[in-house]
Amino acid sequence: MAFDINMIKEVYSKFPARVDAAKKVVGKPLTLAEKILYAHLWDETTEKAFTRGKDYVDFAPDRVACQDATAQMALLQFMQAGKTKVAVPTTVHCDHLIQAKEGASKDLQNALNVSNEVFNFLQSVSDKYGIGFWKPGAGIIHQVVLENYAFPGGMMIGTDSHTVNAGGLGMVAIGVGGADAVDVMAGMPWELKFPKLIGVKLTGKISGWTAPKDVILKVAEILTVKGGTGAIVEYFGPGATEMSCTGKGTICNMGAEIGATTSTFGYDDSMERYLRATDREDVADAANEIKEYLTADPEVYANPEQYFDQVIEINLSELQPLLNGPFTPDLSTVAGSEMTEKANANGWPLKVEWGLIGSCTNSSYEDLSRASSIAQQALDKGLATKAEFGINPGSEQVRYTAERDGILEVFEKLNAKIFTNACGPCIGQWARYEDPKNAPKNSIVHSFNRNFAKRADGNPNTHAFVASPEIVAAIAIAGRLDFNPITDKLINENGEEVMLDEPTGWELPPKGFEVKENGYIEPSEDGSGIEVVVNPNSERLELLTPFRPIGHKVEGAKLLIKAFGKCTTDHISMAGPWLRYRGHLDNISNNCLIGAVNAYNKQTNFVKNQLTGEYGGVPDTQRAYKAAGIPTVVVGDQNYGEGSSREHAAMEPRHLGVVAVIVKSFARIHETNLKKQGMLGLTFANESDYDLIQEDDTFNFLDLDQFAPGKQLTIEVVHADGTKDIIKTNHTYNQSQIEWFNEGSALNLIKKENA
């Protein structure tokens, strides 16, 4: 039986009536995304049709999920909210703090030794406040959610950008910062700008070496890393219904890489099969009763241009295996000769040193079975892997079942390392090098989602390419980035030419899923007697002190850094070794913006201190400004804050004294995180004004006392020679968000309202 089945049945009992009411108000057929959104309005009475990309709307998500790295700050904030129990079903998953190095058992034990303080904190807070807890080793949050909690037509939020994975089971699942999660956990409405809608019509059928991963790699090529910003991507068409549920999850998962709010598919037979295979017959039966409401109205898919803001069509029968990268997930190359040309032209190493399969994106039973079919061929045909091989199963259920069925043994016979059921290399938790900064130039291939510089192993010279698990397996065997398994031959140990056959596998395990210990701990019914203890001398955990309001008079603010080019949340708040400080705001603030490139010298972590004229690290320089009581401003380029949902990228500058971030454009989650922490997130009204900002600039906010929705803010920029420029900035704050600013943070407002 499913977790929270009564909640799911309650959602379904109201779903048809709420959708029907919305259709009357909107006056036209609805997409699936619209049905789910209107069915989850905080105010159950639908009185208006919302304008996409404009109206801010209050929603009532069904559940919340948190991973251990982001859960620390989310739960530290929730502890201040004055609540005795979470208002909606919530789970915590320990998957980020396990470093891949030697193999599953040793790596897991090492994580328990190193991070036990954090795990105990998360478990005790979960136990106290009614939160389900998944132990270290239980699995990667998004795979565990898909197997246990996701349900068609539901709405959930999660403190990880790849929460969107649950769209593979027909949800609207959205990645958020911890402050957003606190709102929902505290029983308050969750606010989102009503998304635009992008429709992706899939025709034809995937076959041969092409996989669902190639669909999203192609979409990323078409839309780029910011093309989905502010939109929900809805997939449909005969190619969509032919695809497995976990294949759909892969596509939705990497929708985070195009900036999409989320992605989703309509409920179909593959989802029903998956629900039943994962012991959720009750959910499948309930979904079948309202099946027509769990997909778009027929008119929508028949004439998609009339109902979506943008429509893309992809013929799966013509789609070829792709590799995306390096350093960005939207640079797409067809496997084979096209890669040879690009690699030679750009100096990408053609020799591949590692092939990695797993992560939240591609760690299902189907993924492992198809990749293992390639590995088995290597054994049968006398081939050895030229690259090293690593496998991260998605959950203990997947791992146990794959081991039972002999899948993992095939990989092990090729000397692959089976890592823990955790994120590992995908998020930089990979002990590959003793000295990552000075590691050599090299190429790796993986089935993960992100490939920013230093993302996997901390080495800025690692060229990471994203591909399907089966292509990763083939390239790891060949050892060459430009290997095309469709056309290219390999020489085996006997000197014979051999070719790899097309991959085969199972959508679902033929003998069914099986697991002995799934790693779940049910919370206490009454947690009032549970004490959550945080050692005041801990370097890992620190109770939060509420932020003070910035106020409406900001003058003499100094430029901290003008970031040049791509500045993701990895650049603003790195992961890897810094994950250990995710629960200690002051300590982790020592990584604030150390990866951002200074526009004036093109160096990282080297900025001018206007008080001394000397250059130093960003955190040290900012702490000097804070000690002097001087506010500061950060300036950025396009799509500032893309990537992970980590709210530390907003909390660290706020904690250190940054008052405003002014950029050409924001990634959605980061902009919201800045707002939640009571900061100013502004965009240049004229993007070319970015070029006006000089290294010794001082900023005076001229009309912040008139801060209002839709009203530009005017800033006087004073240069070192005494000259001035007046720049106009835009913002997307509504009145409620301005109240967050006025109170110092959204959490301060929650506490005030609960007092």
Side-chain angles (χ1 to χ4, degrees), residues 63-83:
R63 67 176 312 108
V64 176
C66 310
Q67 40 95 333
D68 50 352
T70 53
Q72 296 169 64
M73 198 57 69
L75 295 183
L76 284 165
Q77 292 178 84
F78 181 76
M79 288 170 65
Q80 295 189 25
K83 299 291 184 178

Side-chain angles (χ1 to χ4, degrees), residues 602-651:
K602 301 303 186 290
Q603 296 186 54
T604 58
N605 203 28
F606 200 62
V607 296
K608 187 174 184 178
N609 182 334
Q610 293 190 44
L611 302 180
T612 65
E614 298 177 351
Y615 285 80
V618 180
D620 292 339
T621 302
Q622 178 56 38
R623 288 186 188 275
Y625 288 132
K626 183 178 182 179
I630 297 173
T632 57
V633 169
V634 169
V635 171
D637 213 318
Q638 296 280 8
N639 208 28
Y640 182 89
E642 73 171 275
S644 169
S645 67
R646 67 191 66 152
E647 66 183 337
H648 296 76
M651 295 186 77

Side-chain angles (χ1 to χ4, degrees), residues 377-397:
Q377 287 185 55
L379 296 171
D380 295 342
K381 298 184 181 190
L383 296 167
T385 53
K386 298 287 182 62
E388 295 189 72
F389 216 170
I391 311 293
N392 280 83
S395 68
E396 177 57 17
Q397 179 168 267

Side-chain angles (χ1 to χ4, degrees), residues 121-134:
F121 166 75
L122 294 174
Q123 185 176 342
S124 64
V125 176
S126 297
D127 202 18
K128 181 175 182 65
Y129 293 107
I131 298 169
F133 183 77
W134 291 81

